[in-house]
Amino acid sequence: MGLPEVLERIERACRRAGRDPRGVRLVAVTKGRSPEEIAEKVLRHGAFPLGESRVQEALKKMEALQAEWHLIGPLQRNKAKFAPRFALLHSLDSLRLAEALEGVGAKAGVRLRVLVEVNLGREPQKHGFLEEELPEALARLKEMPHLEVLGLMTVPPIGPEGLVRPLFRRLSELADRYGLPERSMGMSEDFEWAVEEGATYVRVGRALFVD
Ligand SMILES: *Cc1c(COP(=O)(O)O)cnc(C)c1O
């Protein structure tokens, strides 16, 4: 598909939904890709934020590429100290991690920007809070002055539109309910549904790199 076509599809999805395309940001997911590939397939087209799922891999690429880095995969508590290297953590999935990050933020004198991951598909192997755990979790997070909760994130099960689209809609409803502006949802297979349902960040990898 390539990045220009992904952008076009985002714009068309915005038009269908009556949304301003400037309200949707493309996070280019670069896990498993070399700095050369990233330069050619992504950064040649503009300064897009780059999403990585592993801290170690991200740190290595940070030495080679100037970009805004987002962490989109699970962060182990023993790697929380690296969180300030990322402009946004999409995958805050437990209060224990939040406490570790609060400590890191306090020590570094910064406020870490995070999204709270919600396991809307209730899949046991997936990370994130269950929907019913959100009210208490968000209340606890509000008491942590070095965390700035900007929104919600979800990774739905792989499945047909009838399964996935309602989960995207649900994430938007929950973000609205809790007064959170950002919704990170949608990958290569389903980003157009996500945009139509209110995504403010889409995390697209494969579609940028394969023709
Ligand atoms: C890999 C990954 C993506 C991108 O997936 P593609 O299918 O390559 O578009 C998005 N979000 C998360 C959390 C990922 O791990």
Side-chain angles (χ1 to χ4, degrees):
M1 195 179 287
L3 190 143
E5 187 177 342
V6 169
L7 285 183
E8 255 176 52
R9 286 179 183 231
I10 291 171
E11 274 192 38
R12 266 182 274 152
C14 283
R15 231 173 288 139
R16 288 195 294 276
R19 298 188 57 196
D20 181 344
R22 285 171 302 186
V24 183
R25 276 139 304 158
L26 170 62
V27 177
V29 175
T30 49
K31 63 182 180 218
R33 311 286 172 180
S34 68
E36 292 73 25
E37 279 176 288
I38 300 166
E40 187 201 326
K41 301 283 189 179
V42 177
L43 297 175
R44 181 161 68 91
H45 300 287
F48 294 91
L50 305 183
E52 285 282 335
S53 14
R54 295 218 183 90
V55 170
Q56 231 54 42
E57 187 178 343
L59 293 177
K60 223 184 263 165
K61 288 178 194 170
M62 283 175 190
E63 291 171 17
L65 295 170
Q66 268 303 326
E68 175 183 308
W69 296 90
H70 291 200
L71 189 64
I72 62 169
L75 176 60
Q76 275 146 15
R77 275 178 298 139
N78 62 5
K79 300 220 174 87
K81 60 175 179 285
F82 297 112
R85 306 283 294 273
F86 295 89
L88 183 63
L89 171 66
H90 288 240
S91 45
L92 178 64
D93 58 6
S94 75
L95 285 172
R96 292 183 75 196
L97 173 61
E99 279 157 13
L101 291 171
E102 170 61 21
V104 168
K107 202 164 156 195
V110 295
R111 229 171 150 212
L112 300 171
R113 303 164 78 244
V114 302
L115 307 177
V116 173
E117 182 166 359
V118 193
N119 184 356
L120 287 178
R122 313 184 78 83
E123 295 172 276
Q125 77 279 19
K126 285 239 173 100
H127 296 264
F129 293 90
L130 295 174
E131 200 182 311
E132 62 271 21
E133 296 170 334
L134 276 181
E136 193 192 329
L138 291 170
R140 296 277 307 279
L141 292 169
K142 267 209 188 110
E143 296 163 359
M144 301 185 191
H146 298 91
L147 292 190
E148 185 176 11
V149 176
L150 293 171
L152 302 179
M153 177 273 215
T154 198
V155 183
I158 294 171
E161 181 173 358
L163 171 75
V164 174
R165 188 187 277 274
L167 297 179
F168 289 153
R169 189 170 307 160
R170 185 72 186 141
L171 195 78
S172 284
E173 286 168 5
L174 290 168
D176 283 345
R177 175 185 304 170
Y178 298 114
L180 297 168
E182 306 290 357
R183 309 99 198 260
S184 169
M185 56 190 192
M187 318 189 350
S188 291
E189 299 301 320
D190 52 23
F191 68 89
E192 290 162 283
W193 303 335
V195 169
E196 289 177 9
E197 298 299 339
T200 61
Y201 288 106
V202 290
R203 309 176 309 267
V204 179
R206 269 170 310 137
L208 306 177
F209 292 94
V210 295
D211 298 324

